[in-house]
Amino acid sequence: ALRLAGGRSRCEGRVEMEQAGAWGTVCDDAWDLADADVVCRQLRCGRAVRIHGGAAFGRGSGPILRDEVGCEGHEEHLWDCPATPEHDCSHKEDAGVVCSEHQEWRLSGGRDGCAGRVEVFFRGTWSTVCDNTWYELEASALCRTLGCGEPLRRLSFGHTLPGRMLYQCESQQPSLAHCRWTYNKSAPCHQSRAAGVICNGT
């Protein structure tokens, strides 16, 4: 089994794999995009957009199961790649990755990080969010994800970034990524403005 831990979504974090019933980590020696691509594809998280070493997502625990990983990039599983089982690493060298299907959010242009235009980082680029379906549930999921409390007011702005994302939440969700979403489909966003929000936290 394979998972990413310590990130903001299941498609970002410290690489952890299970072997003989124990979860462990991978050392960052020789960790590169080809290795990370295999991880992202295996987790159905797209492709790797950023790689991290030096325990960027926190130090793991348990055994260090792989060192000097040498994937070519087409392998189906991380454990199909050549690697050395002996290692000279500690958990401060745990490897991590950000995959293209990871989504993270920010509010920009407001007085602090809890107010402004909604922007989402997805597939390696920042995009705006269409306000056609930007209602209480969507705004509430975002304010909570950012640790900003609850929405006070929804705003609209112009679209000035290349990409457009549309979210539709049917019920309370832990984050917008758990709602239905469509990316860069022109029809639903046709006459939209860019969504914004003022949350009640700071």
PDB file of all heavy atoms in Angstrom, residues 175-192:
ATOM      1  N   SER A 175     -13.689  20.045   2.354  1.00  0.00           N
ATOM      2  CA  SER A 175     -13.008  21.020   1.497  1.00  0.00           C
ATOM      3  C   SER A 175     -13.693  21.045   0.140  1.00  0.00           C
ATOM      4  O   SER A 175     -14.471  20.146  -0.197  1.00  0.00           O
ATOM      5  CB  SER A 175     -11.522  20.675   1.316  1.00  0.00           C
ATOM      6  OG  SER A 175     -11.351  19.816   0.213  1.00  0.00           O
ATOM      7  N   LEU A 176     -13.391  22.065  -0.653  1.00  0.00           N
ATOM      8  CA  LEU A 176     -13.993  22.182  -1.987  1.00  0.00           C
ATOM      9  C   LEU A 176     -13.627  21.003  -2.884  1.00  0.00           C
ATOM     10  O   LEU A 176     -14.382  20.629  -3.772  1.00  0.00           O
ATOM     11  CB  LEU A 176     -13.559  23.498  -2.634  1.00  0.00           C
ATOM     12  CG  LEU A 176     -14.180  24.764  -2.034  1.00  0.00           C
ATOM     13  CD1 LEU A 176     -13.506  26.010  -2.600  1.00  0.00           C
ATOM     14  CD2 LEU A 176     -15.685  24.819  -2.296  1.00  0.00           C
ATOM     15  N   ALA A 177     -12.456  20.410  -2.657  1.00  0.00           N
ATOM     16  CA  ALA A 177     -12.029  19.274  -3.479  1.00  0.00           C
ATOM     17  C   ALA A 177     -12.959  18.076  -3.307  1.00  0.00           C
ATOM     18  O   ALA A 177     -13.009  17.193  -4.160  1.00  0.00           O
ATOM     19  CB  ALA A 177     -10.599  18.880  -3.138  1.00  0.00           C
ATOM     20  N   HIS A 178     -13.713  18.041  -2.185  1.00  0.00           N
ATOM     21  CA  HIS A 178     -14.643  16.931  -1.944  1.00  0.00           C
ATOM     22  C   HIS A 178     -15.994  17.171  -2.612  1.00  0.00           C
ATOM     23  O   HIS A 178     -16.843  16.301  -2.630  1.00  0.00           O
ATOM     24  CB  HIS A 178     -14.850  16.723  -0.446  1.00  0.00           C
ATOM     25  CG  HIS A 178     -13.617  16.268   0.278  1.00  0.00           C
ATOM     26  ND1 HIS A 178     -12.623  17.142   0.661  1.00  0.00           N
ATOM     27  CD2 HIS A 178     -13.210  15.044   0.667  1.00  0.00           C
ATOM     28  CE1 HIS A 178     -11.668  16.459   1.271  1.00  0.00           C
ATOM     29  NE2 HIS A 178     -11.995  15.190   1.284  1.00  0.00           N
ATOM     30  N   CYS A 179     -16.217  18.381  -3.132  1.00  0.00           N
ATOM     31  CA  CYS A 179     -17.464  18.693  -3.849  1.00  0.00           C
ATOM     32  C   CYS A 179     -17.295  18.305  -5.322  1.00  0.00           C
ATOM     33  O   CYS A 179     -16.209  17.953  -5.758  1.00  0.00           O
ATOM     34  CB  CYS A 179     -17.774  20.184  -3.737  1.00  0.00           C
ATOM     35  SG  CYS A 179     -17.965  20.743  -2.030  1.00  0.00           S
ATOM     36  N   ARG A 180     -18.368  18.421  -6.094  1.00  0.00           N
ATOM     37  CA  ARG A 180     -18.224  18.203  -7.536  1.00  0.00           C
ATOM     38  C   ARG A 180     -17.523  19.410  -8.129  1.00  0.00           C
ATOM     39  O   ARG A 180     -17.801  20.544  -7.736  1.00  0.00           O
ATOM     40  CB  ARG A 180     -19.598  18.015  -8.181  1.00  0.00           C
ATOM     41  CG  ARG A 180     -20.209  16.645  -7.846  1.00  0.00           C
ATOM     42  CD  ARG A 180     -21.435  16.379  -8.693  1.00  0.00           C
ATOM     43  NE  ARG A 180     -22.372  17.490  -8.580  1.00  0.00           N
ATOM     44  CZ  ARG A 180     -23.204  17.875  -9.538  1.00  0.00           C
ATOM     45  NH1 ARG A 180     -23.208  17.271 -10.697  1.00  0.00           N
ATOM     46  NH2 ARG A 180     -24.043  18.881  -9.343  1.00  0.00           N
ATOM     47  N   TRP A 181     -16.599  19.167  -9.043  1.00  0.00           N
ATOM     48  CA  TRP A 181     -15.908  20.303  -9.658  1.00  0.00           C
ATOM     49  C   TRP A 181     -15.635  20.034 -11.122  1.00  0.00           C
ATOM     50  O   TRP A 181     -15.537  18.895 -11.556  1.00  0.00           O
ATOM     51  CB  TRP A 181     -14.609  20.642  -8.911  1.00  0.00           C
ATOM     52  CG  TRP A 181     -13.672  19.502  -8.665  1.00  0.00           C
ATOM     53  CD1 TRP A 181     -13.594  18.737  -7.540  1.00  0.00           C
ATOM     54  CD2 TRP A 181     -12.667  18.990  -9.555  1.00  0.00           C
ATOM     55  NE1 TRP A 181     -12.618  17.784  -7.673  1.00  0.00           N
ATOM     56  CE2 TRP A 181     -12.029  17.918  -8.889  1.00  0.00           C
ATOM     57  CE3 TRP A 181     -12.253  19.343 -10.837  1.00  0.00           C
ATOM     58  CZ2 TRP A 181     -10.999  17.187  -9.480  1.00  0.00           C
ATOM     59  CZ3 TRP A 181     -11.224  18.611 -11.426  1.00  0.00           C
ATOM     60  CH2 TRP A 181     -10.613  17.551 -10.740  1.00  0.00           C
ATOM     61  N   THR A 182     -15.584  21.112 -11.900  1.00  0.00           N
ATOM     62  CA  THR A 182     -15.194  21.006 -13.302  1.00  0.00           C
ATOM     63  C   THR A 182     -14.150  22.074 -13.563  1.00  0.00           C
ATOM     64  O   THR A 182     -14.240  23.184 -13.023  1.00  0.00           O
ATOM     65  CB  THR A 182     -16.384  21.223 -14.264  1.00  0.00           C
ATOM     66  OG1 THR A 182     -17.060  22.410 -13.867  1.00  0.00           O
ATOM     67  CG2 THR A 182     -17.353  20.069 -14.234  1.00  0.00           C
ATOM     68  N   TYR A 183     -13.172  21.716 -14.355  1.00  0.00           N
ATOM     69  CA  TYR A 183     -12.038  22.604 -14.603  1.00  0.00           C
ATOM     70  C   TYR A 183     -11.972  22.964 -16.081  1.00  0.00           C
ATOM     71  O   TYR A 183     -12.010  22.086 -16.946  1.00  0.00           O
ATOM     72  CB  TYR A 183     -10.750  21.911 -14.162  1.00  0.00           C
ATOM     73  CG  TYR A 183      -9.499  22.730 -14.335  1.00  0.00           C
ATOM     74  CD1 TYR A 183      -9.331  23.917 -13.617  1.00  0.00           C
ATOM     75  CD2 TYR A 183      -8.490  22.325 -15.192  1.00  0.00           C
ATOM     76  CE1 TYR A 183      -8.171  24.676 -13.766  1.00  0.00           C
ATOM     77  CE2 TYR A 183      -7.321  23.067 -15.336  1.00  0.00           C
ATOM     78  CZ  TYR A 183      -7.176  24.245 -14.625  1.00  0.00           C
ATOM     79  OH  TYR A 183      -6.033  24.986 -14.772  1.00  0.00           O
ATOM     80  N   ASN A 184     -11.891  24.257 -16.347  1.00  0.00           N
ATOM     81  CA  ASN A 184     -11.733  24.767 -17.717  1.00  0.00           C
ATOM     82  C   ASN A 184     -12.774  24.254 -18.711  1.00  0.00           C
ATOM     83  O   ASN A 184     -12.461  23.985 -19.866  1.00  0.00           O
ATOM     84  CB  ASN A 184     -10.316  24.476 -18.244  1.00  0.00           C
ATOM     85  CG  ASN A 184      -9.343  25.549 -17.786  1.00  0.00           C
ATOM     86  OD1 ASN A 184      -9.736  26.573 -17.231  1.00  0.00           O
ATOM     87  ND2 ASN A 184      -8.062  25.312 -18.008  1.00  0.00           N
ATOM     88  N   LYS A 185     -14.022  24.111 -18.252  1.00  0.00           N
ATOM     89  CA  LYS A 185     -15.128  23.828 -19.168  1.00  0.00           C
ATOM     90  C   LYS A 185     -15.799  25.173 -19.414  1.00  0.00           C
ATOM     91  O   LYS A 185     -16.300  25.800 -18.482  1.00  0.00           O
ATOM     92  CB  LYS A 185     -16.126  22.859 -18.539  1.00  0.00           C
ATOM     93  CG  LYS A 185     -15.551  21.498 -18.188  1.00  0.00           C
ATOM     94  CD  LYS A 185     -15.645  20.535 -19.369  1.00  0.00           C
ATOM     95  CE  LYS A 185     -15.351  19.114 -18.967  1.00  0.00           C
ATOM     96  NZ  LYS A 185     -14.006  18.911 -18.412  1.00  0.00           N
ATOM     97  N   SER A 186     -15.827  25.625 -20.665  1.00  0.00           N
ATOM     98  CA  SER A 186     -16.266  27.002 -20.921  1.00  0.00           C
ATOM     99  C   SER A 186     -17.756  27.215 -20.662  1.00  0.00           C
ATOM    100  O   SER A 186     -18.163  28.233 -20.130  1.00  0.00           O
ATOM    101  CB  SER A 186     -15.918  27.419 -22.348  1.00  0.00           C
ATOM    102  OG  SER A 186     -16.559  26.552 -23.252  1.00  0.00           O
ATOM    103  N   ALA A 187     -18.590  26.219 -21.019  1.00  0.00           N
ATOM    104  CA  ALA A 187     -20.043  26.437 -20.933  1.00  0.00           C
ATOM    105  C   ALA A 187     -20.538  26.882 -19.547  1.00  0.00           C
ATOM    106  O   ALA A 187     -21.160  27.936 -19.439  1.00  0.00           O
ATOM    107  CB  ALA A 187     -20.792  25.212 -21.412  1.00  0.00           C
ATOM    108  N   PRO A 188     -20.250  26.108 -18.470  1.00  0.00           N
ATOM    109  CA  PRO A 188     -20.824  26.526 -17.185  1.00  0.00           C
ATOM    110  C   PRO A 188     -20.283  27.874 -16.688  1.00  0.00           C
ATOM    111  O   PRO A 188     -20.935  28.547 -15.902  1.00  0.00           O
ATOM    112  CB  PRO A 188     -20.451  25.394 -16.228  1.00  0.00           C
ATOM    113  CG  PRO A 188     -19.386  24.613 -16.894  1.00  0.00           C
ATOM    114  CD  PRO A 188     -19.499  24.851 -18.358  1.00  0.00           C
ATOM    115  N   CYS A 189     -19.126  28.259 -17.152  1.00  0.00           N
ATOM    116  CA  CYS A 189     -18.501  29.488 -16.664  1.00  0.00           C
ATOM    117  C   CYS A 189     -18.732  30.675 -17.591  1.00  0.00           C
ATOM    118  O   CYS A 189     -18.221  31.762 -17.343  1.00  0.00           O
ATOM    119  CB  CYS A 189     -16.993  29.295 -16.496  1.00  0.00           C
ATOM    120  SG  CYS A 189     -16.573  28.376 -15.020  1.00  0.00           S
ATOM    121  N   HIS A 190     -19.499  30.462 -18.644  1.00  0.00           N
ATOM    122  CA  HIS A 190     -19.538  31.407 -19.751  1.00  0.00           C
ATOM    123  C   HIS A 190     -19.702  32.866 -19.332  1.00  0.00           C
ATOM    124  O   HIS A 190     -18.911  33.721 -19.697  1.00  0.00           O
ATOM    125  CB  HIS A 190     -20.625  31.001 -20.743  1.00  0.00           C
ATOM    126  CG  HIS A 190     -20.702  31.917 -21.932  1.00  0.00           C
ATOM    127  ND1 HIS A 190     -19.593  32.239 -22.687  1.00  0.00           N
ATOM    128  CD2 HIS A 190     -21.739  32.594 -22.476  1.00  0.00           C
ATOM    129  CE1 HIS A 190     -19.940  33.075 -23.645  1.00  0.00           C
ATOM    130  NE2 HIS A 190     -21.239  33.309 -23.547  1.00  0.00           N
ATOM    131  N   GLN A 191     -20.725  33.180 -18.547  1.00  0.00           N
ATOM    132  CA  GLN A 191     -20.940  34.585 -18.200  1.00  0.00           C
ATOM    133  C   GLN A 191     -20.653  34.862 -16.728  1.00  0.00           C
ATOM    134  O   GLN A 191     -21.222  35.768 -16.136  1.00  0.00           O
ATOM    135  CB  GLN A 191     -22.362  34.996 -18.556  1.00  0.00           C
ATOM    136  CG  GLN A 191     -22.552  35.052 -20.065  1.00  0.00           C
ATOM    137  CD  GLN A 191     -23.877  35.678 -20.443  1.00  0.00           C
ATOM    138  OE1 GLN A 191     -24.911  35.278 -19.941  1.00  0.00           O
ATOM    139  NE2 GLN A 191     -23.838  36.674 -21.314  1.00  0.00           N
ATOM    140  N   SER A 192     -19.747  34.060 -16.160  1.00  0.00           N
ATOM    141  CA  SER A 192     -19.486  34.201 -14.735  1.00  0.00           C
ATOM    142  C   SER A 192     -18.516  35.317 -14.433  1.00  0.00           C
ATOM    143  O   SER A 192     -17.810  35.823 -15.310  1.00  0.00           O
ATOM    144  CB  SER A 192     -18.879  32.906 -14.211  1.00  0.00           C
ATOM    145  OG  SER A 192     -17.555  32.775 -14.724  1.00  0.00           O
TER     146      SER A 192
END
